[in-house]
Amino acid sequence: MEKLVIEGGRPLSGAIKIHGAKNAALPILAAGMMAEGTITIHNVPDLSDIQVMTGILRALGCRTEHQGDTVTVNTSTANSSHIPESLMSQMRSSIFLMGPLLARFGKVQVYQPGGCAIGDRKIDLHLRGLAALGATIEESGNTIVCTAAKLRGAEIVLDFPSVGATENIMMAAAMAEGMTTISNAAREPEIQDLQNFLNKMGAKIIGAGTDTITIEGVSQLTPCTYRIIPDRIVAGTMMIAAAVTRGTITLENVCAAHLTSAIHVLKRSGVQIAINGDIINVSCLTRPKAVERIVTSPHPSFPTDLQSQIMVLLSLADGLSIVKETVFESRFKHVDELTRMGSDIRVDLNSAFIRGVPRLYGATVEATDLRAGAALVIAGLAAQGTTVIEQIHHIDRGYDRIEHMLSHLGASIHRVTPVAT
């Protein structure tokens, strides 16, 4: 298995461009299945999750090409609505194809999705929403089959503002007969991006970014060319990395409005942040300050996807900080690894109590999930000595060659690939 080796203690310096958002690209690639023809998507990162999604599209009969940051998908040859279990088990986001395939073919067969082990993420809200639109759902073991001769608009109230459920229902409803209203909808920027893409294909959707989304169904969508928004979690990760290394960096291709809560927390910790259009300058030349309390919650609150990374900053801050996780119940798996590097963290139920220490120390650690892996990279950058991170396939799901980004900023980080024997 590949590993990342980091020599810590080097302040980050320089400028990098933030790549496109994984969590926008995946549902948009899925939504492209609803239009017959060729869609072209720009600013798509080269991630293992993107590779799995394009692999699924090919298994459904599409022709795909990924050159640079552009993905083209010809959906006119699609001839199947059965997603292979071997591919679906690799990525939870494959569930996004339920709505589009149901809308186009009237049937879809899927399996319980895979992905990071960060807690119980049931798909009942997805299924309940599709059922409200008229789908018949049959579950047998790990297999789920949805059928619908015709989808019809409905008023749907989500028990929780689930991003995936909101997006799946949006896509199916875009071609349902009549009006659909999603109440208590998720408000993440990636949902707004999906709305904009669907509308460019001819859908009639308003309200994304608020808690109520209204969809007027249309009979047909047409292919288009579209550009993905920047990845706010990658940008947030790099901002935190600059702060923990006492560095000064410039991030290009960033939407600061998508990072309001994260920027607020970083400023409270003493990080200097200046915003100029799509450019953010980050500097932290002194020891960061503790932040009394951070609570993760759906957008626009502090994102759960930056919880593990901010914990590294707080591990080196002056004072006691508390982080409460309210989105996923198993998202403190990085704590044991950070403790091995010298962090002073105590977990009680869904809260972590972090007492800042003067320094961290290099160690051999394991990435247990995507964002935990990113946190360990940040810790390795700040640590004294050498850090070796194993199981980095998790990191490759969400960061396009993270070692290249950080090396460009002056970090000593490289990927080690075992030699086959």
Side-chain angles (χ1 to χ4, degrees), residues 109 124 133 215 235 269 316 360 403:
Q109 180 174 328
D124 56 326
L133 295 173
I215 305 111
S269 188
L316 291 164
L360 299 177
E403 69 275 17

mmCIF file of all heavy atoms in Angstrom, residues 109 124 133 215 235 269 316 360 403:
data_model
loop_
_atom_site.group_PDB
_atom_site.id
_atom_site.type_symbol
_atom_site.label_atom_id
_atom_site.label_comp_id
_atom_site.label_asym_id
_atom_site.label_seq_id
_atom_site.Cartn_x
_atom_site.Cartn_y
_atom_site.Cartn_z
ATOM 1 N N GLN A 109 -31.601 -0.459 -10.174
ATOM 2 C CA GLN A 109 -31.202 -1.463 -9.190
ATOM 3 C C GLN A 109 -29.854 -1.061 -8.611
ATOM 4 O O GLN A 109 -28.888 -0.840 -9.336
ATOM 5 C CB GLN A 109 -31.094 -2.859 -9.807
ATOM 6 C CG GLN A 109 -30.667 -3.933 -8.791
ATOM 7 C CD GLN A 109 -30.693 -5.342 -9.361
ATOM 8 O OE1 GLN A 109 -31.515 -5.644 -10.221
ATOM 9 N NE2 GLN A 109 -29.797 -6.192 -8.891
ATOM 10 N N ASP A 124 -32.474 5.900 4.093
ATOM 11 C CA ASP A 124 -33.931 5.875 4.188
ATOM 12 C C ASP A 124 -34.562 7.174 3.700
ATOM 13 O O ASP A 124 -35.651 7.160 3.114
ATOM 14 C CB ASP A 124 -34.377 5.561 5.627
ATOM 15 C CG ASP A 124 -33.807 6.526 6.642
ATOM 16 O OD1 ASP A 124 -32.668 6.979 6.458
ATOM 17 O OD2 ASP A 124 -34.500 6.819 7.638
ATOM 18 N N LEU A 133 -42.480 10.437 -4.624
ATOM 19 C CA LEU A 133 -42.628 10.838 -6.020
ATOM 20 C C LEU A 133 -43.286 9.747 -6.869
ATOM 21 O O LEU A 133 -43.476 9.933 -8.075
ATOM 22 C CB LEU A 133 -41.259 11.183 -6.619
ATOM 23 C CG LEU A 133 -40.544 12.406 -6.018
ATOM 24 C CD1 LEU A 133 -39.133 12.523 -6.582
ATOM 25 C CD2 LEU A 133 -41.332 13.680 -6.273
ATOM 26 N N ILE A 215 -39.469 22.518 -7.387
ATOM 27 C CA ILE A 215 -39.119 21.966 -8.697
ATOM 28 C C ILE A 215 -40.379 21.811 -9.529
ATOM 29 O O ILE A 215 -41.334 21.145 -9.117
ATOM 30 C CB ILE A 215 -38.432 20.587 -8.564
ATOM 31 C CG1 ILE A 215 -37.216 20.677 -7.632
ATOM 32 C CG2 ILE A 215 -38.029 20.043 -9.923
ATOM 33 C CD1 ILE A 215 -37.387 19.957 -6.325
ATOM 34 N N ALA A 235 -10.041 23.935 0.265
ATOM 35 C CA ALA A 235 -9.577 25.280 0.618
ATOM 36 C C ALA A 235 -9.436 25.415 2.132
ATOM 37 O O ALA A 235 -8.419 25.932 2.625
ATOM 38 C CB ALA A 235 -10.559 26.330 0.075
ATOM 39 N N SER A 269 -9.208 32.126 16.265
ATOM 40 C CA SER A 269 -7.984 31.477 16.741
ATOM 41 C C SER A 269 -6.742 32.330 16.492
ATOM 42 O O SER A 269 -5.641 31.914 16.845
ATOM 43 C CB SER A 269 -7.832 30.113 16.062
ATOM 44 O OG SER A 269 -6.779 29.382 16.611
ATOM 45 N N LEU A 316 -2.586 22.471 18.920
ATOM 46 C CA LEU A 316 -1.377 23.285 19.067
ATOM 47 C C LEU A 316 -1.688 24.679 19.596
ATOM 48 O O LEU A 316 -0.795 25.522 19.705
ATOM 49 C CB LEU A 316 -0.670 23.391 17.714
ATOM 50 C CG LEU A 316 -0.046 22.087 17.206
ATOM 51 C CD1 LEU A 316 0.283 22.181 15.732
ATOM 52 C CD2 LEU A 316 1.205 21.752 18.016
ATOM 53 N N LEU A 360 3.840 18.869 18.288
ATOM 54 C CA LEU A 360 3.517 17.482 17.965
ATOM 55 C C LEU A 360 4.793 16.784 17.490
ATOM 56 O O LEU A 360 5.761 17.437 17.099
ATOM 57 C CB LEU A 360 2.439 17.418 16.876
ATOM 58 C CG LEU A 360 1.081 18.044 17.204
ATOM 59 C CD1 LEU A 360 0.149 17.960 16.002
ATOM 60 C CD2 LEU A 360 0.451 17.380 18.420
ATOM 61 N N GLU A 403 -0.004 15.641 -2.068
ATOM 62 C CA GLU A 403 1.432 15.862 -1.884
ATOM 63 C C GLU A 403 1.964 16.892 -2.880
ATOM 64 O O GLU A 403 2.891 17.649 -2.571
ATOM 65 C CB GLU A 403 2.209 14.544 -1.986
ATOM 66 C CG GLU A 403 2.272 13.909 -3.362
ATOM 67 C CD GLU A 403 1.054 13.040 -3.694
ATOM 68 O OE1 GLU A 403 0.025 13.168 -3.014
ATOM 69 O OE2 GLU A 403 1.162 12.250 -4.654
#
